[in-house]
Amino acid sequence: MAKIFKSRLFRNYRWIWWVMFSPFMLLGTLVLLAFVGGLGEMPDFRELEDPQRNLASIVYSADGKVMGKYYVENRVAVDYEDISPNVITALVATEDVRFDSHSGIDARGTLRAFSSFGKEGGASTITQQLAKLLFHKKPKNKIGRLIQKIKEWVIALQLERNYTKKEILTMYLNQADFGHNIYGINSASKIYFNKPAKDLDVPESAMLVGLLKAPTKFSPVTNFKRKTPKVTLDRRNTVLEQMEKYGKISHADCERFKRNEVIINMEELQDRISKNAYGHGENAQYFMEELKKDVEAWCLTHTNPRTKKNYNLYTDGLRIYTTIDSRLQSYAEQAVKEYMPKLQKQFFKSKIGKKNAPFASNMKPEEVEKIIMQAVKKSDAYKALKDQEVSEADIMKVFKTPKPMTVFSWDGPRDTIMTPWDSVVYHKYFLMNGLMCMDPHTGEIKAWSGGVDFTYFKYDHVRAGKYDKEKKCIMPGGGRQVGSTFKPFVYVMAMREGRSPCEEVPHVRVCIESAWSRWCPDNAGSPACEGCMISLKAALANSVNYISAYLMKQYGAPAVVKLVRELGVTAPLDPNPSICLGTPDISVFEMVGAFSTFFNKGIYNKPIFLTRIEDKNGNTLAEFTSESREVLNEESSFLMVELMKGVVLGGTAGRLRGTYKFKEPVAGKTGTTQSNSDGWFIGGTPDLVCGVWTGAEDRTVRFVSTGLGQGANMALPIWGLFMRKVYDDPTIKINRGDFDKPASPPTVELNCGEYKADMNQDNQYNGMIFDDNED
């Protein structure tokens, strides 16, 4: 060697040698510098040891089903044994065929990449690709990319020295990006194919491995209108050919696998990916959004001992246990999707040819414009343009310019061309819905459906809670006018005073006077038998306004408000006599909680849906129980249930027994606001109390006729469909018997025939003729 360096050939042409070897010397120097930290701070490769990094928090139903997750990256790590061998085979054959023999850097592949300037493929091994995942910022220039590449080599060598090949494959597949905010092989398998990673077959494994090269480019939903997107198919088939090339599958199998569809049901895949995009998973999206508020509030006041920071819902891998029953939740969502399209058709038909549709026809043009403008300013598109400092005039040009878009319809997303302004008006046509069902004996919420489609309408119509900084808890908000569902709160005042549901009172107009006003409400429609005597039970069954006003006059608005507060309602309530007809805005959440007291022997249980939070290792961090208090005695609450049974047996909720064939005991109350903006039904059985509200997002969007706009048509059918499904499911153990009676026999007569006879004998009404309006 010494002779070579001293030779005339070397001395005369040493510059050529320097040119040839200097890049390798420079590269070696840079690698050495990277090892000692001379090229800047190196990421800690041990970060990859912990597959719980940025681990999704998982939400469980009461019956042990996974409802969804909260995450920055949708990732649930799995062990090597839980990954299909087909995935491993496809990955190695496609990305790094010499994976088992190299030490982190494939020298042959690196030389090939250099000699062909990258035209014959890159040189990154699986280990290098894993190392690359530690760099979370993209280099700004080519020099920065070169330095990062050198660091990747160093980390790859360290990984190979510290981990087995199986561990490296597992870490890589748990960290890999599969597009659409899907990270890790297990999440990818469940979203793309609705199965765990260990069950993936060869074609499915090939498709997922094919995504790793360019997740967005090769995604099967890049062009979701086509059943088998060609770009995905071609990439999947390339992976299959690589598997055949290296003897992992036969030629015959390769050709057979190529004939498989990439995705069997594109619509279902699109739906799973859409739901995944919100960080919720596939089920109970409105509930998951409200649950998130409560858990985030808890995180604000609790410290993770590992990080010394507040718990992070999106990265700490919490295990969150709820009261929701997955079967009831499914039936609730099914009932909404089954009835709301029918109701929506009725609404569309009612608005044909109407001025200002979908808004009220008596509105002025400037009032309609103001409503639409308010909705425009709340839209993401408007806010994005504002952030870009686009002028108001130019924003309006954008909103008045037609463009391709996808809008909601009950037949599935509809592609169309319209202006963003018109799309706002179009979506205003749609009726919304809120449903909540709870166990009155425990306070546990079993089902929660906050709307018709979370993708397009994200506002929750059950609670819409907001965090109260002073009280450090979530307070219900977003209530709607409750109409006649408020009346039981007035009637129960009479039951507390020992009056019987059979007691008859004059069916006459009542005026309530104060120092500053005189209020004389009318009945809705043409009252039957005005001037006769009517029982309290019949009055509630037929929602007679005169009798509600009569009772309000007896007990006073302040006393009613006090009772309603005890029943858990925190919404604003003016101590005004008109509240007896349901003028307040109250959430479904609080109304169902209040009604549940009647079905629980007078004990109020605050509705709860969160029972336990655990850390990623299963250690319990917090447990939650309902707050309880006695509001009514057993007899009063029992009598109130008896009153509401009359609503179903022959009153405004009579179609439950007719159309929906309910033979089981049901007690409840319909509600309709004066303008038909809101339709309600809250009904109870011995084990469940459920409330349904239906109406448009904007209160000026409503049915013209009460026949269509009443609670019996807008809300009750959803309750009927839901509870019918619950009763018809043999796996749900639900009480089909009658409501429990008080421990002591009631002190008042409940047989209205006997009650009337006794009253006639006592001549309490001075010989007046009774017109029995009982059902």
Side-chain angles (χ1 to χ4, degrees), residues 303-311:
T303 303
N304 185 335
R306 182 173 60 86
T307 64
K308 309 302 180 185
K309 299 178 181 179
N310 287 342
Y311 278 100

mmCIF file of all heavy atoms in Angstrom, residues 303-311:
data_model
loop_
_atom_site.group_PDB
_atom_site.id
_atom_site.type_symbol
_atom_site.label_atom_id
_atom_site.label_comp_id
_atom_site.label_asym_id
_atom_site.label_seq_id
_atom_site.Cartn_x
_atom_site.Cartn_y
_atom_site.Cartn_z
ATOM 1 N N THR A 303 -53.365 15.579 37.279
ATOM 2 C CA THR A 303 -51.992 15.522 36.774
ATOM 3 C C THR A 303 -51.553 14.090 36.521
ATOM 4 O O THR A 303 -51.779 13.198 37.349
ATOM 5 C CB THR A 303 -51.021 16.174 37.770
ATOM 6 O OG1 THR A 303 -51.440 17.523 37.994
ATOM 7 C CG2 THR A 303 -49.606 16.167 37.230
ATOM 8 N N ASN A 304 -50.922 13.895 35.382
ATOM 9 C CA ASN A 304 -50.335 12.604 35.043
ATOM 10 C C ASN A 304 -48.982 12.498 35.744
ATOM 11 O O ASN A 304 -48.080 13.287 35.456
ATOM 12 C CB ASN A 304 -50.159 12.500 33.520
ATOM 13 C CG ASN A 304 -49.658 11.135 33.072
ATOM 14 O OD1 ASN A 304 -49.012 10.418 33.828
ATOM 15 N ND2 ASN A 304 -49.949 10.785 31.838
ATOM 16 N N PRO A 305 -48.802 11.555 36.674
ATOM 17 C CA PRO A 305 -47.540 11.477 37.415
ATOM 18 C C PRO A 305 -46.337 11.148 36.534
ATOM 19 O O PRO A 305 -45.203 11.455 36.885
ATOM 20 C CB PRO A 305 -47.808 10.357 38.441
ATOM 21 C CG PRO A 305 -48.919 9.566 37.861
ATOM 22 C CD PRO A 305 -49.759 10.531 37.097
ATOM 23 N N ARG A 306 -46.583 10.554 35.378
ATOM 24 C CA ARG A 306 -45.481 10.195 34.473
ATOM 25 C C ARG A 306 -44.939 11.424 33.747
ATOM 26 O O ARG A 306 -43.742 11.612 33.622
ATOM 27 C CB ARG A 306 -45.946 9.150 33.453
ATOM 28 C CG ARG A 306 -44.857 8.663 32.499
ATOM 29 C CD ARG A 306 -45.362 7.511 31.657
ATOM 30 N NE ARG A 306 -46.508 7.878 30.854
ATOM 31 C CZ ARG A 306 -46.422 8.440 29.644
ATOM 32 N NH1 ARG A 306 -45.244 8.684 29.111
ATOM 33 N NH2 ARG A 306 -47.517 8.736 28.968
ATOM 34 N N THR A 307 -45.848 12.291 33.275
ATOM 35 C CA THR A 307 -45.420 13.467 32.516
ATOM 36 C C THR A 307 -45.340 14.742 33.358
ATOM 37 O O THR A 307 -44.786 15.737 32.905
ATOM 38 C CB THR A 307 -46.399 13.714 31.354
ATOM 39 O OG1 THR A 307 -47.696 14.026 31.896
ATOM 40 C CG2 THR A 307 -46.500 12.499 30.459
ATOM 41 N N LYS A 308 -45.900 14.696 34.573
ATOM 42 C CA LYS A 308 -45.966 15.866 35.457
ATOM 43 C C LYS A 308 -46.820 16.988 34.848
ATOM 44 O O LYS A 308 -46.707 18.141 35.241
ATOM 45 C CB LYS A 308 -44.564 16.400 35.788
ATOM 46 C CG LYS A 308 -43.585 15.360 36.291
ATOM 47 C CD LYS A 308 -44.085 14.657 37.539
ATOM 48 C CE LYS A 308 -43.074 13.619 38.031
ATOM 49 N NZ LYS A 308 -43.595 12.841 39.178
ATOM 50 N N LYS A 309 -47.637 16.642 33.904
ATOM 51 C CA LYS A 309 -48.550 17.594 33.284
ATOM 52 C C LYS A 309 -49.977 17.078 33.428
ATOM 53 O O LYS A 309 -50.191 15.932 33.809
ATOM 54 C CB LYS A 309 -48.211 17.772 31.801
ATOM 55 C CG LYS A 309 -46.821 18.320 31.527
ATOM 56 C CD LYS A 309 -46.570 18.412 30.027
ATOM 57 C CE LYS A 309 -45.170 18.940 29.727
ATOM 58 N NZ LYS A 309 -44.916 19.000 28.263
ATOM 59 N N ASN A 310 -50.944 17.935 33.099
ATOM 60 C CA ASN A 310 -52.325 17.472 33.121
ATOM 61 C C ASN A 310 -52.500 16.316 32.146
ATOM 62 O O ASN A 310 -51.823 16.254 31.110
ATOM 63 C CB ASN A 310 -53.282 18.602 32.735
ATOM 64 C CG ASN A 310 -53.420 19.644 33.828
ATOM 65 O OD1 ASN A 310 -53.092 19.399 34.989
ATOM 66 N ND2 ASN A 310 -53.897 20.816 33.461
ATOM 67 N N TYR A 311 -53.394 15.416 32.476
ATOM 68 C CA TYR A 311 -53.669 14.308 31.561
ATOM 69 C C TYR A 311 -54.104 14.850 30.206
ATOM 70 O O TYR A 311 -54.793 15.880 30.120
ATOM 71 C CB TYR A 311 -54.760 13.401 32.127
ATOM 72 C CG TYR A 311 -54.243 12.400 33.130
ATOM 73 C CD1 TYR A 311 -54.392 12.621 34.499
ATOM 74 C CD2 TYR A 311 -53.614 11.235 32.718
ATOM 75 C CE1 TYR A 311 -53.913 11.712 35.430
ATOM 76 C CE2 TYR A 311 -53.127 10.311 33.636
ATOM 77 C CZ TYR A 311 -53.281 10.556 34.982
ATOM 78 O OH TYR A 311 -52.802 9.650 35.900
#
